[in-house]
Amino acid sequence: MPSNENIISGFDDSHDKNLRLVLDQVPAVSHCLSVYVMGSIDNYNSNFFQEKMQKVIEAGFINIVLRCSSLEYVSSTGIGVFATFFSKFKELGGNLVFTDLQPKVEELFQLLGFSHFFHIAGSMDEAIEFFTHKETVEAAVFPRSIECPICNVHLKAKHSGKFRCPSCKAIISVDEKGIVTI
């Protein structure tokens, strides 16, 4: 596996004794990075994790696979960080996929309702398939002219994600197939 520094300069400048991240590029998907997560993400190191994910975005990676086979624990604060970055990646036209979740972490996702919010793949191959299928579908669908379901204002969506109508301020979701919901 390549060194983190070879992928993102300065990534290993700081460390946390309870969380280790190992980066690996995914050449099959544009702007994609695999992040092996080892240890725990809790109230004490969630800021550390946020800083590392911000470096990932600044380096131009917007499609992320969080490989969680060694993620032993995640607190609700850690889940909140996941949700924040999920939204950021979606805004940038990318996505966040989890693989190899430990049973207790997956149970937490389910209890909090995040198993419906995040894409959870069974393997790296499944994650790559998700990204490549999404890119193919979105390339055929976007950019797209949409209509706000509340005020009927015409808008242009360049990619899937959540948008705020400039007229009525409603939050509109546009999925990968171009289907609009509130």
Side-chain angles (χ1 to χ4, degrees):
M1 222 178 276
S3 163
N4 290 344
E5 291 295 317
N6 291 340
I7 297 171
I8 299 176
S9 180
F11 191 84
D12 288 334
D13 286 352
S14 61
H15 300 280
D16 183 273
K17 67 179 182 171
N18 296 317
L19 180 62
R20 183 167 176 246
L21 305 173
V22 176
L23 309 178
D24 194 15
Q25 287 184 288
V26 182
V29 180
S30 63
H31 309 291
C32 190
L33 189 66
S34 168
V35 180
Y36 293 87
V37 183
M38 294 167 269
S40 62
I41 301 174
D42 55 28
N43 299 345
Y44 301 106
N45 64 7
S46 62
N47 286 337
F48 171 80
F49 183 72
Q50 277 184 288
E51 290 169 10
K52 296 301 179 182
M53 294 308 290
Q54 189 60 44
K55 284 184 182 246
V56 165
I57 290 172
E58 290 168 1
F61 295 102
I62 58 170
N63 291 312
I64 307 301
V65 180
L66 288 180
R67 302 189 74 180
C68 300
S69 61
S70 297
L71 177 62
E72 298 162 2
Y73 172 79
V74 61
S75 70
S76 57
T77 303
I79 297 274
V81 173
F82 290 155
T84 297
F85 280 97
F86 173 80
S87 296
K88 284 185 181 184
F89 292 127
K90 292 291 273 185
E91 286 173 15
L92 295 168
N95 216 319
L96 177 65
V97 175
F98 293 83
T99 65
D100 310 313
L101 288 174
Q102 294 284 337
K104 61 185 173 186
V105 173
E106 189 166 8
E107 183 179 335
L108 178 63
F109 276 42
Q110 289 174 354
L111 287 171
L112 296 175
F114 284 108
S115 59
H116 300 291
F117 187 66
F118 298 128
H119 184 78
I120 300 171
S123 66
M124 187 63 182
D125 289 339
E126 195 178 303
I128 290 171
E129 173 64 27
F130 169 79
F131 283 119
T132 55
H133 177 71
K134 177 184 176 286
E135 288 175 355
T136 304
V137 170
E138 283 200 348
V141 174
F142 294 96
R144 177 181 201 91
S145 181
I146 62 171
E147 189 174 285
C148 174
I150 303 294
C151 68
N152 299 327
V153 166
H154 290 279
L155 309 166
K156 187 169 188 170
K158 295 180 181 177
H159 54 78
S160 65
K162 290 189 179 184
F163 306 93
R164 185 175 296 276
C165 175
S167 178
C168 69
K169 307 297 185 217
I171 296 176
I172 304 166
S173 292
V174 182
D175 71 10
E176 291 83 9
K177 296 177 185 170
I179 297 171
V180 179
T181 57
I182 300 176

